[in-house]
mmCIF file of all heavy atoms in Angstrom:
data_model
loop_
_atom_site.group_PDB
_atom_site.id
_atom_site.type_symbol
_atom_site.label_atom_id
_atom_site.label_comp_id
_atom_site.label_asym_id
_atom_site.label_seq_id
_atom_site.Cartn_x
_atom_site.Cartn_y
_atom_site.Cartn_z
ATOM 1 N N ALA A 1 88.969 100.203 67.742
ATOM 2 C CA ALA A 1 89.515 101.228 68.641
ATOM 3 C C ALA A 1 88.361 101.843 69.484
ATOM 4 O O ALA A 1 88.417 102.121 70.613
ATOM 5 C CB ALA A 1 90.336 102.229 67.898
ATOM 6 N N ALA A 2 87.257 102.176 68.729
ATOM 7 C CA ALA A 2 86.083 102.809 69.422
ATOM 8 C C ALA A 2 85.527 101.828 70.525
ATOM 9 O O ALA A 2 85.158 102.269 71.664
ATOM 10 C CB ALA A 2 84.975 103.152 68.321
ATOM 11 N N ASN A 3 85.469 100.638 70.224
ATOM 12 C CA ASN A 3 84.865 99.596 71.215
ATOM 13 C C ASN A 3 85.820 99.539 72.355
ATOM 14 O O ASN A 3 85.471 99.474 73.548
ATOM 15 C CB ASN A 3 84.729 98.169 70.497
ATOM 16 C CG ASN A 3 83.485 98.141 69.754
ATOM 17 O OD1 ASN A 3 82.471 98.904 70.036
ATOM 18 N ND2 ASN A 3 83.578 97.311 68.759
ATOM 19 N N ARG A 4 87.179 99.472 72.132
ATOM 20 C CA ARG A 4 88.153 99.365 73.267
ATOM 21 C C ARG A 4 88.120 100.713 74.103
ATOM 22 O O ARG A 4 88.289 100.527 75.303
ATOM 23 C CB ARG A 4 89.541 99.175 72.672
ATOM 24 C CG ARG A 4 89.617 97.767 72.161
ATOM 25 C CD ARG A 4 91.049 97.276 72.028
ATOM 26 N NE ARG A 4 91.049 95.960 71.533
ATOM 27 C CZ ARG A 4 92.136 95.240 71.270
ATOM 28 N NH1 ARG A 4 93.219 95.771 71.353
ATOM 29 N NH2 ARG A 4 91.995 94.033 70.897
ATOM 30 N N VAL A 5 88.028 101.834 73.542
ATOM 31 C CA VAL A 5 88.068 103.190 74.243
ATOM 32 C C VAL A 5 86.743 103.178 75.048
ATOM 33 O O VAL A 5 86.794 103.528 76.289
ATOM 34 C CB VAL A 5 88.021 104.443 73.309
ATOM 35 C CG1 VAL A 5 87.617 105.622 74.014
ATOM 36 C CG2 VAL A 5 89.483 104.496 72.628
ATOM 37 N N GLU A 6 85.503 102.810 74.437
ATOM 38 C CA GLU A 6 84.275 102.754 75.185
ATOM 39 C C GLU A 6 84.378 101.814 76.325
ATOM 40 O O GLU A 6 83.979 102.132 77.504
ATOM 41 C CB GLU A 6 83.281 102.294 74.235
ATOM 42 C CG GLU A 6 81.844 102.308 74.862
ATOM 43 C CD GLU A 6 80.734 102.042 73.879
ATOM 44 O OE1 GLU A 6 80.930 102.204 72.650
ATOM 45 O OE2 GLU A 6 79.707 101.542 74.259
ATOM 46 N N SER A 7 85.004 100.604 76.201
ATOM 47 C CA SER A 7 85.127 99.686 77.226
ATOM 48 C C SER A 7 86.024 100.073 78.403
ATOM 49 O O SER A 7 85.743 100.097 79.534
ATOM 50 C CB SER A 7 85.544 98.348 76.705
ATOM 51 O OG SER A 7 85.775 97.409 77.779
ATOM 52 N N ALA A 8 87.138 100.616 77.979
ATOM 53 C CA ALA A 8 88.193 100.986 78.985
ATOM 54 C C ALA A 8 87.720 102.281 79.758
ATOM 55 O O ALA A 8 87.746 102.275 80.994
ATOM 56 C CB ALA A 8 89.574 101.295 78.243
ATOM 57 N N LEU A 9 87.224 103.270 79.039
ATOM 58 C CA LEU A 9 86.832 104.546 79.643
ATOM 59 C C LEU A 9 85.504 104.255 80.695
ATOM 60 O O LEU A 9 85.420 104.660 81.757
ATOM 61 C CB LEU A 9 86.473 105.549 78.633
ATOM 62 C CG LEU A 9 86.272 107.011 79.123
ATOM 63 C CD1 LEU A 9 87.417 107.490 79.990
ATOM 64 C CD2 LEU A 9 85.887 107.881 77.972
ATOM 65 N N GLY A 10 84.622 103.391 80.051
ATOM 66 C CA GLY A 10 83.394 103.020 80.781
ATOM 67 C C GLY A 10 83.748 102.320 82.061
ATOM 68 O O GLY A 10 83.230 102.717 83.127
ATOM 69 N N SER A 11 84.683 101.442 82.003
ATOM 70 C CA SER A 11 85.092 100.619 83.216
ATOM 71 C C SER A 11 85.838 101.601 84.211
ATOM 72 O O SER A 11 85.541 101.554 85.451
ATOM 73 C CB SER A 11 86.066 99.611 82.874
ATOM 74 O OG SER A 11 85.511 98.617 82.143
ATOM 75 N N ALA A 12 86.666 102.585 83.695
ATOM 76 C CA ALA A 12 87.437 103.414 84.614
ATOM 77 C C ALA A 12 86.437 104.401 85.387
ATOM 78 O O ALA A 12 86.439 104.610 86.641
ATOM 79 C CB ALA A 12 88.449 104.147 83.852
ATOM 80 N N VAL A 13 85.480 104.881 84.527
ATOM 81 C CA VAL A 13 84.526 105.929 85.219
ATOM 82 C C VAL A 13 83.497 105.151 86.075
ATOM 83 O O VAL A 13 83.126 105.637 87.227
ATOM 84 C CB VAL A 13 83.731 106.727 84.124
ATOM 85 C CG1 VAL A 13 82.686 107.583 84.754
ATOM 86 C CG2 VAL A 13 84.712 107.490 83.371
ATOM 87 N N THR A 14 83.215 103.897 85.733
ATOM 88 C CA THR A 14 82.252 103.151 86.665
ATOM 89 C C THR A 14 82.838 102.906 87.952
ATOM 90 O O THR A 14 82.033 102.962 88.926
ATOM 91 C CB THR A 14 81.852 101.818 85.858
ATOM 92 O OG1 THR A 14 81.224 102.130 84.617
ATOM 93 C CG2 THR A 14 80.937 100.805 86.785
ATOM 94 N N ARG A 15 84.116 102.630 88.036
ATOM 95 C CA ARG A 15 84.698 102.325 89.294
ATOM 96 C C ARG A 15 84.731 103.528 90.242
ATOM 97 O O ARG A 15 84.562 103.464 91.424
ATOM 98 C CB ARG A 15 86.167 101.981 89.120
ATOM 99 C CG ARG A 15 86.344 100.387 88.625
ATOM 100 C CD ARG A 15 87.782 100.052 88.827
ATOM 101 N NE ARG A 15 88.676 100.782 87.873
ATOM 102 C CZ ARG A 15 88.963 100.334 86.677
ATOM 103 N NH1 ARG A 15 88.453 99.246 86.192
ATOM 104 N NH2 ARG A 15 89.742 101.144 85.833
ATOM 105 N N THR A 16 84.674 104.821 89.710
ATOM 106 C CA THR A 16 84.775 105.970 90.537
ATOM 107 C C THR A 16 83.420 106.769 90.654
ATOM 108 O O THR A 16 83.133 107.263 91.564
ATOM 109 C CB THR A 16 85.753 106.871 90.025
ATOM 110 O OG1 THR A 16 85.454 107.314 88.660
ATOM 111 C CG2 THR A 16 87.104 106.307 90.131
ATOM 112 N N ALA A 17 82.584 106.609 89.559
ATOM 113 C CA ALA A 17 81.351 107.460 89.538
ATOM 114 C C ALA A 17 80.126 106.711 89.302
ATOM 115 O O ALA A 17 78.997 107.206 89.419
ATOM 116 C CB ALA A 17 81.429 108.499 88.481
ATOM 117 N N GLY A 18 80.102 105.411 89.074
ATOM 118 C CA GLY A 18 78.793 104.654 89.025
ATOM 119 C C GLY A 18 78.691 104.124 87.516
ATOM 120 O O GLY A 18 79.280 104.723 86.548
ATOM 121 N N ARG A 19 77.799 103.163 87.495
ATOM 122 C CA ARG A 19 77.548 102.423 86.260
ATOM 123 C C ARG A 19 76.934 103.329 85.163
ATOM 124 O O ARG A 19 77.472 103.306 84.002
ATOM 125 C CB ARG A 19 76.584 101.398 86.549
ATOM 126 C CG ARG A 19 76.377 100.469 85.429
ATOM 127 C CD ARG A 19 75.409 99.372 85.773
ATOM 128 N NE ARG A 19 75.747 98.172 85.381
ATOM 129 C CZ ARG A 19 75.208 96.991 85.594
ATOM 130 N NH1 ARG A 19 74.089 97.040 86.283
ATOM 131 N NH2 ARG A 19 75.737 95.804 85.176
ATOM 132 N N ARG A 20 76.005 104.143 85.388
ATOM 133 C CA ARG A 20 75.331 104.929 84.308
ATOM 134 C C ARG A 20 76.364 105.984 83.830
ATOM 135 O O ARG A 20 76.328 106.221 82.588
ATOM 136 C CB ARG A 20 74.159 105.672 84.946
ATOM 137 C CG ARG A 20 72.835 104.991 84.818
ATOM 138 C CD ARG A 20 71.755 106.006 84.858
ATOM 139 N NE ARG A 20 70.681 105.308 84.260
ATOM 140 C CZ ARG A 20 69.450 105.334 84.772
ATOM 141 N NH1 ARG A 20 69.168 106.001 85.877
ATOM 142 N NH2 ARG A 20 68.494 104.695 84.210
ATOM 143 N N LEU A 21 77.019 106.682 84.633
ATOM 144 C CA LEU A 21 78.024 107.673 84.216
ATOM 145 C C LEU A 21 79.135 106.960 83.446
ATOM 146 O O LEU A 21 79.621 107.518 82.470
ATOM 147 C CB LEU A 21 78.525 108.489 85.421
ATOM 148 C CG LEU A 21 79.350 109.687 85.032
ATOM 149 C CD1 LEU A 21 78.520 110.650 84.202
ATOM 150 C CD2 LEU A 21 79.864 110.436 86.293
ATOM 151 N N GLY A 22 79.635 105.853 83.982
ATOM 152 C CA GLY A 22 80.589 105.060 83.221
ATOM 153 C C GLY A 22 80.201 104.654 81.793
ATOM 154 O O GLY A 22 81.000 104.852 80.813
ATOM 155 N N ALA A 23 78.854 104.229 81.588
ATOM 156 C CA ALA A 23 78.407 103.781 80.339
ATOM 157 C C ALA A 23 78.315 105.097 79.385
ATOM 158 O O ALA A 23 78.779 104.985 78.140
ATOM 159 C CB ALA A 23 77.094 103.262 80.420
ATOM 160 N N ALA A 24 77.907 106.181 79.912
ATOM 161 C CA ALA A 24 77.816 107.371 79.053
ATOM 162 C C ALA A 24 79.258 107.919 78.626
ATOM 163 O O ALA A 24 79.366 108.307 77.519
ATOM 164 C CB ALA A 24 77.017 108.425 79.917
ATOM 165 N N ALA A 25 80.122 107.884 79.644
ATOM 166 C CA ALA A 25 81.404 108.356 79.328
ATOM 167 C C ALA A 25 82.104 107.398 78.341
ATOM 168 O O ALA A 25 82.844 107.875 77.400
ATOM 169 C CB ALA A 25 82.303 108.420 80.709
ATOM 170 N N GLY A 26 81.917 106.121 78.385
ATOM 171 C CA GLY A 26 82.407 105.189 77.483
ATOM 172 C C GLY A 26 81.908 105.425 76.150
ATOM 173 O O GLY A 26 82.663 105.421 75.090
ATOM 174 N N ARG A 27 80.690 105.586 75.977
ATOM 175 C CA ARG A 27 80.066 105.888 74.604
ATOM 176 C C ARG A 27 80.600 107.189 74.012
ATOM 177 O O ARG A 27 80.994 107.208 72.912
ATOM 178 C CB ARG A 27 78.612 105.856 74.646
ATOM 179 C CG ARG A 27 77.916 104.459 74.843
ATOM 180 C CD ARG A 27 76.401 104.501 74.620
ATOM 181 N NE ARG A 27 75.673 105.370 75.471
ATOM 182 C CZ ARG A 27 75.102 105.071 76.593
ATOM 183 N NH1 ARG A 27 75.263 103.796 77.088
ATOM 184 N NH2 ARG A 27 74.515 105.828 77.389
ATOM 185 N N ALA A 28 80.674 108.274 74.874
ATOM 186 C CA ALA A 28 81.193 109.454 74.342
ATOM 187 C C ALA A 28 82.683 109.343 73.956
ATOM 188 O O ALA A 28 82.987 109.938 72.860
ATOM 189 C CB ALA A 28 81.041 110.496 75.407
ATOM 190 N N GLY A 29 83.405 108.672 74.606
ATOM 191 C CA GLY A 29 84.834 108.456 74.214
ATOM 192 C C GLY A 29 84.958 107.664 72.949
ATOM 193 O O GLY A 29 85.771 107.961 72.162
ATOM 194 N N GLY A 30 84.108 106.578 72.791
ATOM 195 C CA GLY A 30 84.090 105.837 71.591
ATOM 196 C C GLY A 30 83.796 106.648 70.393
ATOM 197 O O GLY A 30 84.262 106.492 69.325
ATOM 198 N N LEU A 31 82.870 107.671 70.511
ATOM 199 C CA LEU A 31 82.386 108.486 69.399
ATOM 200 C C LEU A 31 83.477 109.416 68.945
ATOM 201 O O LEU A 31 83.470 109.898 67.755
ATOM 202 C CB LEU A 31 81.172 109.325 69.897
ATOM 203 C CG LEU A 31 79.895 108.498 70.005
ATOM 204 C CD1 LEU A 31 78.789 109.482 70.471
ATOM 205 C CD2 LEU A 31 79.418 107.812 68.668
ATOM 206 N N LEU A 32 84.524 109.602 69.787
ATOM 207 C CA LEU A 32 85.493 110.643 69.453
ATOM 208 C C LEU A 32 86.699 110.015 68.607
ATOM 209 O O LEU A 32 87.513 110.745 68.052
ATOM 210 C CB LEU A 32 86.193 111.341 70.775
ATOM 211 C CG LEU A 32 85.137 112.160 71.516
ATOM 212 C CD1 LEU A 32 85.971 112.577 72.828
ATOM 213 C CD2 LEU A 32 84.787 113.316 70.705
ATOM 214 N N VAL A 33 86.560 108.670 68.427
ATOM 215 C CA VAL A 33 87.780 107.898 67.776
ATOM 216 C C VAL A 33 87.716 108.283 66.299
ATOM 217 O O VAL A 33 88.769 108.687 65.681
ATOM 218 C CB VAL A 33 87.682 106.422 67.919
ATOM 219 C CG1 VAL A 33 88.644 105.673 67.011
ATOM 220 C CG2 VAL A 33 87.887 106.062 69.481
ATOM 221 N N GLN A 34 86.566 108.283 65.603
ATOM 222 C CA GLN A 34 86.462 108.582 64.207
ATOM 223 C C GLN A 34 86.904 109.966 63.840
ATOM 224 O O GLN A 34 87.814 110.183 62.967
ATOM 225 C CB GLN A 34 85.096 108.226 63.676
ATOM 226 C CG GLN A 34 84.993 108.580 62.174
ATOM 227 C CD GLN A 34 85.744 107.601 61.347
ATOM 228 O OE1 GLN A 34 85.594 106.414 61.273
ATOM 229 N NE2 GLN A 34 86.789 108.069 60.552
ATOM 230 N N PRO A 35 86.424 110.974 64.545
ATOM 231 C CA PRO A 35 86.893 112.367 64.281
ATOM 232 C C PRO A 35 88.584 112.445 64.406
ATOM 233 O O PRO A 35 89.116 113.203 63.754
ATOM 234 C CB PRO A 35 86.162 113.255 65.139
ATOM 235 C CG PRO A 35 84.915 112.436 65.451
ATOM 236 C CD PRO A 35 85.336 111.051 65.380
ATOM 237 N N ALA A 36 88.900 111.746 65.491
ATOM 238 C CA ALA A 36 90.405 111.842 65.771
ATOM 239 C C ALA A 36 91.150 111.300 64.538
ATOM 240 O O ALA A 36 92.292 111.795 64.116
ATOM 241 C CB ALA A 36 90.737 111.089 67.052
ATOM 242 N N VAL A 37 90.620 110.143 64.022
ATOM 243 C CA VAL A 37 91.311 109.429 62.767
ATOM 244 C C VAL A 37 91.264 110.360 61.615
ATOM 245 O O VAL A 37 92.265 110.602 60.910
ATOM 246 C CB VAL A 37 90.615 108.078 62.535
ATOM 247 C CG1 VAL A 37 91.138 107.582 61.111
ATOM 248 C CG2 VAL A 37 90.917 107.127 63.618
ATOM 249 N N TRP A 38 90.284 111.164 61.430
ATOM 250 C CA TRP A 38 90.107 112.111 60.329
ATOM 251 C C TRP A 38 91.200 113.133 60.445
ATOM 252 O O TRP A 38 91.800 113.619 59.552
ATOM 253 C CB TRP A 38 88.718 112.767 60.173
ATOM 254 C CG TRP A 38 87.652 111.777 59.702
ATOM 255 C CD1 TRP A 38 87.853 110.824 58.718
ATOM 256 C CD2 TRP A 38 86.338 111.758 60.027
ATOM 257 N NE1 TRP A 38 86.639 110.114 58.570
ATOM 258 C CE2 TRP A 38 85.656 110.717 59.218
ATOM 259 C CE3 TRP A 38 85.477 112.531 60.753
ATOM 260 C CZ2 TRP A 38 84.239 110.452 59.353
ATOM 261 C CZ3 TRP A 38 84.124 112.282 60.869
ATOM 262 C CH2 TRP A 38 83.557 111.192 60.084
ATOM 263 N N VAL A 39 91.362 113.653 61.713
ATOM 264 C CA VAL A 39 92.307 114.718 62.010
ATOM 265 C C VAL A 39 93.756 114.243 61.702
ATOM 266 O O VAL A 39 94.497 114.758 61.080
ATOM 267 C CB VAL A 39 92.213 115.387 63.398
ATOM 268 C CG1 VAL A 39 93.245 116.209 63.764
ATOM 269 C CG2 VAL A 39 90.810 116.066 63.438
#
């Protein structure tokens, strides 16, 4: 799930804001998966 969120969010942000911001957004989104599962 983290890899899919990272890929999907990264691609979506890359299309609108650029490659660097897309990669950062994807990684941040992927990191939120584990805490969400704990909750």
Side-chain angles (χ1 to χ4, degrees):
N3 286 331
R4 289 198 176 177
V5 166
E6 184 173 335
S7 177
L9 189 57
S11 296
V13 173
T14 297
R15 283 193 293 271
T16 58
R19 184 182 229 175
R20 272 204 156 135
L21 192 56
R27 284 194 301 268
L31 291 175
L32 295 177
V33 173
Q34 180 66 65
V37 169
W38 288 329
V39 169

